Amino acid sequence: MYMKKKTKISNFLSKRITKFSEICKDNMSQLVIKSLLYTSFRPLLSLNKKTKKMKELQKQSYYSLNKYSNSTMHVLYSFGRKEFTGDFRNWLSETDSYKSKNRIAIRIDGTKSGKKYGKKIPELEVLWDYVNRCKIRTHEIYIFVVSIGKKDYIVDFILVKKAHRKGWNYLAIEMIERFLNALGSQSENFIEFGRLSLDGAWGNGEMMEYIESKGFRYNAVKSGGKDIIKFFGLEMSLKNLEIYLSTFFNFKKFNPVHKLKGEYCSGTVELKEKNIPIKIVLRRFPKSKGGYRYLMILSTDLNVYDFQIAQCYCLRWGIEENIVECKQVIKITDYSYHSKEGPGNIEMFLALRFISYMFLNWYRVEHCRTSKTSIWKVADRFKEYFNDEGPKTVWKLFSG
């Protein structure tokens, strides 16, 4: 059984590394490409780094990370988007039952990055400034993940300061537009079938207006609570509407076949300044100590069913898991700001680590029982494989 797993990992890595090399071959040599991938898989390589060949490989990876940090940011975009485009084309040709089982999920979310120590440097701001002895704003990573079923594609990310002048909506719209342009003729199908789910940071009129203008059929956005709406002749904020509905409306249970917890009520409102009709689904869940907690979800399509809006928002939880896995499994926050690599290549570093996350996720979906195999277990299998095969195998994989 173990030999079978080793063979699967070996074949999988060879295939994926070859495809990755084909995308980058016009801009970089094979040596540079594979040494960059070495940086990507460093968290999984717990073997002896003191051998002469491993030292050379590590030195080459530092050199490549520095030299190509600015010119190869398209690597992640090209790789993630190209893989998704091919798989999406196959998905469109599948049966309706397959499509229903493997839905297209579109998610965007942000996470803090950076260590809690270190001096302030031009490219980044870290959490603690030892010089001034005070906490300062840190930068954040905004990640754009598209999924087909449980298979994830990180197609874009943006590294920004926390206090971003253009706002969160601008960042999300920028990434969505870049991706739609990259899809080309497939963008219409993507908008039709994709299920867009966003957190409350984007739950305002500006984002709802953009979603409505693009024509996303399935969309669910958690309410930000500040916008003024019109509801049966009354004007109130979304937060006050939540209180009003929870007080005066009757809640009902979802159909058991939809596998949704809690109760819900729904209605249609109009954003006052935007004049856009919005469908509201308010869910409530019982608390252990009595009472309820509420979740208000907004959608621009009035024709979809209430349970479809609730199911669409449930898909958003996947990106929370993605972020945790990226931090704990592939160590995106372990970048050494004060090492000789320098801070200028942090975006390339993140791009490479996101690529290694996709490798692990794809292996999990293609070769494991996802219900019983977590991405942590997949990472352990890869670590075991690299350690058993030894430095020679690693050298062959990542030396060009």
Side-chain angles (χ1 to χ4, degrees):
M1 179 66 71
Y2 176 65
M3 291 302 297
K4 189 175 180 181
K5 289 180 181 178
K6 284 180 65 176
T7 303
K8 283 183 179 180
I9 292 174
S10 179
N11 294 338
F12 175 83
L13 281 174
S14 299
K15 178 183 175 182
R16 292 297 179 183
I17 290 175
T18 300
K19 292 188 74 173
F20 180 79
S21 301
E22 289 175 356
I23 292 173
C24 306
K25 65 182 179 182
D26 294 335
N27 300 297
M28 294 174 283
S29 67
Q30 288 293 310
L31 177 61
V32 170
I33 292 168
K34 292 193 174 181
S35 65
L36 287 173
L37 279 176
Y38 169 80
T39 302
S40 178
F41 282 95
R42 279 284 295 277
L44 308 179
L45 299 172
S46 56
L47 42 79
N48 184 10
K49 304 293 192 307
K50 294 182 180 180
T51 63
K52 184 177 180 181
K53 287 186 176 182
M54 295 307 295
K55 282 184 176 180
E56 290 177 5
L57 191 55
Q58 188 168 337
K59 186 177 180 180
Q60 177 61 36
S61 70
Y62 285 160
Y63 169 78
S64 302
L65 199 61
N66 258 329
K67 184 175 180 181
Y68 294 92
S69 60
N70 295 323
S71 61
T72 53
M73 274 306 298
H74 72 280
V75 167
L76 173 73
Y77 307 149
S78 299
F79 184 68
R81 291 169 185 172
K82 190 169 184 179
E83 290 291 331
F84 174 79
T85 301
D87 290 346
F88 183 54
R89 190 181 296 111
N90 295 333
W91 183 88
L92 290 171
S93 64
E94 292 286 351
T95 61
D96 291 339
S97 60
Y98 177 88
K99 292 177 183 177
S100 178
K101 184 179 178 180
N102 297 280
R103 294 172 175 172
I104 306 295
I106 310 164
R107 318 171 183 116
I108 297 173
D109 207 352
T111 181
K112 291 181 181 178
S113 178
K115 295 186 177 181
K116 298 183 179 180
Y117 55 83
K119 60 184 179 180
K120 187 175 179 180
I121 54 179
E123 290 80 1
L124 304 170
E125 285 180 318
V126 293
L127 290 175
W128 180 257
D129 182 358
Y130 273 149
V131 177
N132 299 314
R133 295 289 174 181
C134 64
K135 290 184 178 180
I136 55 176
R137 287 188 296 266
T138 184
H139 60 289
E140 292 184 340
I141 307 169
Y142 287 87
I143 308 173
F144 184 11
V145 181
V146 183
S147 304
I148 299 179
K150 294 183 179 180
K151 193 171 183 179
D152 298 329
Y153 307 80
I154 300 178
V155 296
D156 204 346
F157 76 94
I158 296 178
L159 181 70
V160 296
K161 299 292 178 64
K162 185 177 179 181
H164 195 264
R165 293 180 180 179
K166 294 180 179 179
W168 291 333
N169 283 346
Y170 174 84
L171 298 174
I173 291 171
E174 180 182 349
M175 287 192 285
I176 292 172
E177 286 294 327
R178 281 204 299 235
F179 185 59
L180 291 177
N181 290 334
L183 285 178
S185 59
Q186 291 192 29
S187 61
E188 292 184 5
N189 289 324
F190 181 74
I191 289 172
E192 179 183 358
F193 293 106
R195 286 167 160 77
L196 175 63
S197 54
L198 298 173
D199 201 359
W202 292 278
N204 53 53
E206 183 182 354
M207 178 54 70
M208 301 310 294
E209 183 180 28
Y210 171 76
I211 293 173
E212 196 270 341
S213 67
K214 299 305 293 186
F216 282 99
R217 181 185 177 191
Y218 299 103
N219 60 87
V221 184
K222 182 181 177 182
S223 170
K226 295 181 180 180
D227 286 273
I228 303 299
I229 56 91
K230 297 177 183 178
F231 182 66
F232 289 111
L234 302 174
E235 290 188 4
M236 64 184 80
S237 68
L238 286 167
K239 184 62 180 177
N240 289 335
L241 175 64
E242 178 182 317
I243 298 171
Y244 181 86
L245 294 177
S246 63
T247 305
F248 298 105
F249 272 53
N250 294 322
F251 284 75
K252 50 188 176 181
K253 293 184 178 180
F254 289 100
N255 190 314
V257 301
H258 299 143
K259 299 180 180 179
L260 292 166
K261 296 180 180 179
E263 301 174 323
Y264 77 100
C265 67
S266 61
T268 303
V269 302
E270 184 178 288
L271 290 173
K272 181 180 177 182
E273 295 182 358
K274 308 294 182 181
N275 295 322
I276 300 174
I278 299 291
K279 191 166 188 177
I280 302 289
V281 176
L282 180 63
R283 299 180 66 185
R284 72 178 185 184
F285 308 88
K287 293 181 179 179
S288 57
K289 296 182 179 180
Y292 297 93
R293 61 182 179 88
Y294 294 89
L295 171 64
M296 180 180 283
I297 310 171
L298 316 178
S299 180
T300 61
D301 197 319
L302 308 182
N303 298 319
V304 296
Y305 295 107
D306 298 337
F307 77 87
Q308 290 177 314
I309 296 174
Q311 286 178 339
C312 183
Y313 187 75
C314 288
L315 296 175
R316 198 197 72 82
W317 181 248
I319 197 169
E320 301 285 356
E321 296 174 338
N322 299 153
I323 289 172
V324 171
E325 290 162 355
C326 286
K327 284 186 173 183
Q328 297 183 3
V329 179
I330 62 170
K331 314 294 184 183
I332 62 170
T333 56
D334 280 4
Y335 185 82
S336 181
Y337 299 143
H338 308 291
S339 66
K340 58 186 176 181
E341 299 103 295
N345 52 25
I346 187 170
E347 289 187 332
M348 173 57 106
F349 170 86
L350 292 172
L352 292 169
R353 288 294 167 90
F354 288 145
I355 287 171
S356 64
Y357 168 79
M358 288 191 285
F359 273 50
L360 295 177
N361 173 263
W362 297 348
Y363 180 85
R364 175 175 176 255
V365 174
E366 293 173 4
H367 299 290
C368 304
R369 295 176 66 182
T370 54
S371 60
K372 294 187 176 182
T373 310
S374 67
I375 200 155
W376 281 271
K377 289 184 179 179
V378 174
D380 289 339
R381 288 186 189 180
F382 274 70
K383 288 177 184 177
E384 192 175 3
Y385 168 78
F386 287 128
N387 288 330
D388 288 350
E389 293 297 295
K392 287 186 178 180
T393 298
V394 175
W395 173 262
K396 288 179 182 179
L397 278 173
F398 301 119
S399 66

